[in-house]
Amino acid sequence: MTNIKLCGFSRLCDIEAANELKPDYIGFVFASKSKRCVTHEKATELKSRLSPEIQAVGVFVNEHPQNIANLLKNGIIDIAQLHGDEDEDYITQLRLLTDKPLIKAFRIKTANDATTARQSTADYILLDSGAGTGTVFDWSLVKNIRRPYFLAGGLDADNVTDAVKALHPFAVDVSSGIETDGAKNKIKMAAFVAAARKEDRL
């Protein structure tokens, strides 16, 4: 069964929709340059309303490791996703501060990118086309990756079933694909979840 992550939550109505749809993960973006960025206070409020069966992922770009560890320690997030230039030394440093799961994101443009991602010591890797560009990359580049990964990049209700069928990723990750005019759209969220789970029902 493919897990589902709905990312970029910033409003209570997003949380309420997730509690109904029951994805496996939702995401809070803490990168200041992102239009989806939330404060620690806002994330705390939203997490308090999130169903305990759904895990919250914090998305960071070159954040100080101690700040990430504090959010994990305080239960504001359950998993940290590293979406910047964090290297293996950074991951080692962060692991000294927390034993919570880590996801490292990689931009997949060549076969070498896929090889680098496969070798990461993070608990999970996330394969994307870019830094939240909302475009699909060449899936054939990652068809031989055997470790669990989150598939991102341009996914929506129209193509996620094909993605699950072709790659069988550990999880599919969507943000812009469930938005209308920059805000999460419950109808699109529901359609994505249904499409992602279609293959599992066959």
Side-chain angles (χ1 to χ4, degrees), residues 13-27:
C13 60
D14 302 336
I15 297 293
E16 291 171 342
N19 288 342
E20 289 182 30
L21 297 170
K22 295 182 169 44
D24 303 275
Y25 309 90
I26 60 94

Side-chain angles (χ1 to χ4, degrees), residues 1 40 47 51 59 61 82 100 129 139 145 193 199:
M1 179 174 173
H40 294 187
K47 179 61 157 54
S51 171
V59 181
V61 176
L82 311 175
K100 299 290 187 177
S129 56
W139 292 342
I145 292 182
V193 169
E199 185 71 8

Side-chain angles (χ1 to χ4, degrees), residues 6-18 26-30 34-47 49-50 57 175 178-185 189:
L6 307 179
C7 199
F9 280 22
S10 60
R11 304 175 302 169
L12 180 56
C13 60
D14 302 336
I15 297 293
E16 291 171 342
I26 60 94
F28 298 132
V29 177
F30 295 101
S34 171
K35 62 184 179 183
R36 303 180 182 94
C37 183
V38 294
T39 64
H40 294 187
E41 293 74 21
K42 187 64 176 179
T44 302
E45 175 194 351
L46 296 175
K47 179 61 157 54
R49 305 294 289 273
L50 182 68
V57 178
S175 187
I178 51 171
E179 291 180 348
T180 299
D181 298 328
K184 293 291 177 283
N185 180 307
M189 292 166 66

Side-chain angles (χ1 to χ4, degrees), residues 18-177:
N19 288 342
E20 289 182 30
L21 297 170
K22 295 182 169 44
D24 303 275
Y25 309 90
I26 60 94
F28 298 132
V29 177
F30 295 101
S32 60
K33 292 183 179 180
S34 171
K35 62 184 179 183
R36 303 180 182 94
C37 183
V38 294
T39 64
H40 294 187
E41 293 74 21
K42 187 64 176 179
T44 302
E45 175 194 351
L46 296 175
K47 179 61 157 54
S48 72
R49 305 294 289 273
L50 182 68
S51 171
E53 63 195 65
I54 303 172
Q55 296 191 74
V57 178
V59 181
F60 304 91
V61 176
N62 305 325
E63 182 61 74
H64 192 285
Q66 188 63 61
N67 293 338
I68 297 176
N70 288 342
L71 287 167
L72 289 163
K73 179 181 178 182
N74 293 329
I76 299 171
I77 57 172
D78 305 297
I79 302 172
Q81 178 179 317
L82 311 175
H83 225 289
D85 303 314
E86 303 90 356
D87 57 14
E88 287 296 316
D89 289 340
Y90 182 102
I91 291 174
T92 298
Q93 184 180 359
L94 185 53
R95 286 202 188 281
L96 294 175
L97 300 172
T98 180
D99 60 357
K100 299 290 187 177
L102 306 178
I103 304 168
K104 178 67 183 99
F106 292 89
R107 301 180 190 182
I108 305 299
K109 300 184 184 302
T110 67
N112 285 339
D113 295 333
T115 298
T116 300
R118 190 168 60 238
Q119 295 170 345
S120 172
T121 61
D123 299 280
Y124 300 101
I125 53 176
L126 183 145
L127 310 178
D128 201 350
S129 56
T133 56
T135 56
V136 176
F137 66 89
D138 182 357
W139 292 342
S140 70
L141 294 172
V142 301
K143 66 181 185 299
N144 293 323
I145 292 182
R146 295 290 175 252
R147 64 176 292 180
Y149 63 85
F150 287 70
L151 180 69
L155 295 179
D156 56 29
D158 294 329
N159 62 16
V160 69
T161 303
D162 291 338
V164 171
K165 188 181 299 185
L167 298 174
H168 304 289
F170 170 77
V172 287
D173 188 336
V174 63
S175 187
S176 60

